[in-house]
Amino acid sequence: MQALMSHLRIVRRFRSAAARLSPGRAVVAAMLLGPVAGALLAFGAIAAQEPNEVTIDNFTFGPPELTVAVGTTVKWVNHDDIPHNVVNKDKVFRSKALDTDDSYSFTFASAGTFDYFCGLHPHMQGKIIVK
């Protein structure tokens, strides 16, 4: 979150500098600096993702494989516009259907490899490795 706030401060500085320019130059400055500001905001959004979080987007789990320590809670968040769920192949955990922006968390109490898939779309697969 702190990275995002610093990026927003940079964007405000660009806006302040552009406001002092003539209208024609302000347009040119906006065209040149717009992609930079967009990249900074995108970087902030990526940096804001939790380290033990799996996102569900575009019918994929991201990251598809995650390695965590014993005792870690992993959170799955559905960013797709249709429901998905998370089902462990060995029936250790199973979520309800997750609507858009719903989440499911599970704490891994023992070491092992936990393969999972979406019960609604079985081609979607992922893996949690617990060490």
Side-chain angles (χ1 to χ4, degrees):
M1 189 66 169
Q2 191 173 16
L4 181 60
M5 295 305 293
S6 66
H7 296 314
L8 290 175
R9 279 188 230 118
I10 292 170
V11 170
R12 284 190 207 115
R13 287 183 189 165
F14 286 143
R15 285 184 184 163
S16 174
R20 292 188 296 260
L21 299 174
S22 67
R25 288 187 178 181
V27 169
V28 171
M31 288 172 42
L32 294 174
L33 296 175
V36 172
L40 288 172
L41 289 172
F43 173 76
I46 290 169
Q49 181 178 354
E50 297 294 321
N52 297 318
E53 184 175 282
V54 177
T55 59
I56 303 168
D57 197 10
N58 198 22
F59 288 87
T60 59
F61 293 108
E65 184 176 297
L66 181 65
T67 301
V68 298
V70 172
T72 300
T73 299
V74 175
K75 180 179 180 181
W76 287 264
V77 181
N78 182 15
H79 292 302
D80 256 342
D81 57 355
I82 64 167
H84 294 287
N85 67 354
V86 180
V87 180
N88 173 247
K89 291 181 179 180
D90 297 321
K91 301 179 183 176
V92 174
F93 57 89
R94 180 186 185 103
S95 74
K96 66 176 182 65
L98 304 173
D99 285 325
T100 303
D101 295 328
D102 280 351
S103 65
Y104 168 73
S105 296
F106 182 79
T107 301
F108 291 88
S110 61
T113 299
F114 299 86
D115 294 312
Y116 65 90
F117 62 97
C118 174
L120 304 171
H121 311 97
H123 69 279
M124 295 173 56
Q125 299 183 11
K127 181 184 298 188
I128 305 295
I129 300 168
V130 183
K131 294 184 177 183

